Amino acid sequence: MPLDLPHLVDVHFSQQPPAIVQAWQPAPSQGGVWYPHSSTVSWGELMNSRHHIDQLASMPTDWDGYGALPISQETKLNALRALDVVTRRAPVPDIVPNSNGTLSFEWETAAGFGHLEIGQTRFSFHLKPNAVGSKSILADGQAADIPMNIGAYVSAVLFPERLLANAVTQIVFSGRHV
């Protein structure tokens, strides 16, 4: 019989830049073991998204020609923290500026859509599954404290096939399966 062993990563990535290391903090429930992003987010995707947030935060007042507010430094920092939190479990979102000075993270698949809006002090989250009879998941709170489970909800509802991609190790001794 095959022996299924989870693949744990016990690497601290000490040679990576500090911005990358922040995205690899262990969750308290995981007993201090370091896990990579389960959403298969690559370093390149994460760094491109962080750069995109920097670019959006450098846009001037009236960037849309209709009086849009600029993205403040507080909103930018909150968005960078939120990106690190949600991409631990969810794919990189589309990141768009809003004319009220906030940033939105958006995901959309055939299974539904998710929207996380981040401002200077607050966030709001809406996840709407397309399945008949499904209810929306709503959350709001302090922008500096976005819950880690938001990324898990996005993955579970919008990208369920990602949850099935767990690696399995098969160990064979002397030609026998164990």
Side-chain angles (χ1 to χ4, degrees), residues 43-60:
W43 293 120
E45 288 175 310
L46 189 58
M47 297 317 317
N48 283 342
S49 294
R50 292 178 70 83
H51 179 68
H52 184 57
I53 291 170
D54 284 335
Q55 288 178 318
L56 294 174
S58 68
M59 295 187 307

Side-chain angles (χ1 to χ4, degrees), residues 111-161:
F113 72 89
H115 181 94
L116 174 63
E117 186 171 356
I118 303 153
Q120 290 182 11
T121 60
R122 308 278 302 162
F123 79 89
S124 66
F125 175 69
H126 179 212
L127 182 63
K128 176 62 176 134
N130 285 339
V132 175
S134 295
K135 296 187 184 222
S136 292
I137 298 171
L138 304 170
D140 67 348
Q142 296 300 312
D145 299 318
I146 293 180
M148 292 185 69
N149 62 354
I150 284 182
Y153 287 140
V154 168
S155 282
V157 172
L158 302 180
F159 303 93
E161 68 278 1

Side-chain angles (χ1 to χ4, degrees), residues 15-154:
Q15 296 176 348
Q16 296 293 333
I20 294 175
V21 174
Q22 291 172 358
W24 289 77
Q25 299 299 318
S29 63
Q30 296 168 339
V33 176
W34 292 81
Y35 287 85
H37 285 65
S38 63
S39 66
T40 67
V41 171
S42 73
W43 293 120
E45 288 175 310
L46 189 58
M47 297 317 317
N48 283 342
S49 294
R50 292 178 70 83
H51 179 68
H52 184 57
I53 291 170
D54 284 335
Q55 288 178 318
L56 294 174
S58 68
M59 295 187 307
T61 300
D62 195 29
W63 52 264
D64 67 350
Y66 295 97
L69 298 174
I71 306 301
S72 70
Q73 184 68 15
E74 293 87 1
T75 299
K76 172 188 159 181
L77 293 175
N78 289 335
L80 291 170
R81 275 192 299 271
L83 182 68
D84 286 345
V85 168
V86 299
T87 58
R88 290 179 187 180
R89 300 286 183 250
V92 170
D94 290 328
I95 303 169
V96 295
N98 300 305
S99 59
N100 62 353
T102 61
L103 288 171
S104 289
F105 292 1
E106 298 175 347
W107 301 265
E108 186 170 2
T109 68
F113 72 89
H115 181 94
L116 174 63
E117 186 171 356
I118 303 153
Q120 290 182 11
T121 60
R122 308 278 302 162
F123 79 89
S124 66
F125 175 69
H126 179 212
L127 182 63
K128 176 62 176 134
N130 285 339
V132 175
S134 295
K135 296 187 184 222
S136 292
I137 298 171
L138 304 170
D140 67 348
Q142 296 300 312
D145 299 318
I146 293 180
M148 292 185 69
N149 62 354
I150 284 182
Y153 287 140
V154 168

